[in-house]
Amino acid sequence: MRSPPRKITVLQISKLYSPVIGGVEQVVQTLAEGLRDIVTMRVLVCNTKSRTERTVVNGVEVTRAASVGRAYSMPLSSSFFAEFRRASVPADILQFH
């Protein structure tokens, strides 16, 4: 008997995620939640706080990398690169926003 095929793993990378309000944040959330039953969906973003948090939001694994503030509306996060490296290894598709 054959086992079911493995789901592909998608990692979406963006600067922020819901509940932060914004156009890109809404697109990332809509894609993640819309595809979560078809693929293994993960999201990597920066946190608005100074600690890294891993949560599940509406069935989607979300990693929020610690940040120390913002410059020109972009979060400043040195931990983002380590989190990206860790999260991207098992991913089949990397989707940058």
Side-chain angles (χ1 to χ4, degrees), residues 10 12 17 25-43 57-62 95 97:
V10 176
Q12 290 197 74
Y17 191 74
E25 292 78 13
Q26 183 64 44
V27 168
V28 174
Q29 183 180 19
T30 300
L31 285 170
E33 292 177 9
L35 295 173
R36 70 178 174 230
D37 295 330
I38 301 168
V39 301
T40 300
M41 180 62 69
R42 294 186 177 106
V43 174
V57 179
N58 298 328
V60 177
E61 290 181 38
V62 179
Q95 184 175 19
H97 296 273

Side-chain angles (χ1 to χ4, degrees), residues 29-88:
Q29 183 180 19
T30 300
L31 285 170
E33 292 177 9
L35 295 173
R36 70 178 174 230
D37 295 330
I38 301 168
V39 301
T40 300
M41 180 62 69
R42 294 186 177 106
V43 174
L44 174 62
V45 295
C46 289
N47 201 350
T48 56
K49 302 173 186 169
S50 61
R51 67 179 181 275
T52 296
E53 298 176 336
R54 290 177 176 77
T55 59
V56 176
V57 179
N58 298 328
V60 177
E61 290 181 38
V62 179
T63 299
R64 301 174 204 274
S67 66
V68 294
R70 288 179 171 222
Y72 303 104
S73 78
M74 292 298 293
L76 300 172
S77 173
S78 60
S79 64
F80 185 87
F81 299 103
E83 293 296 334
F84 173 75
R85 185 171 184 175
R86 182 194 61 76
S88 65

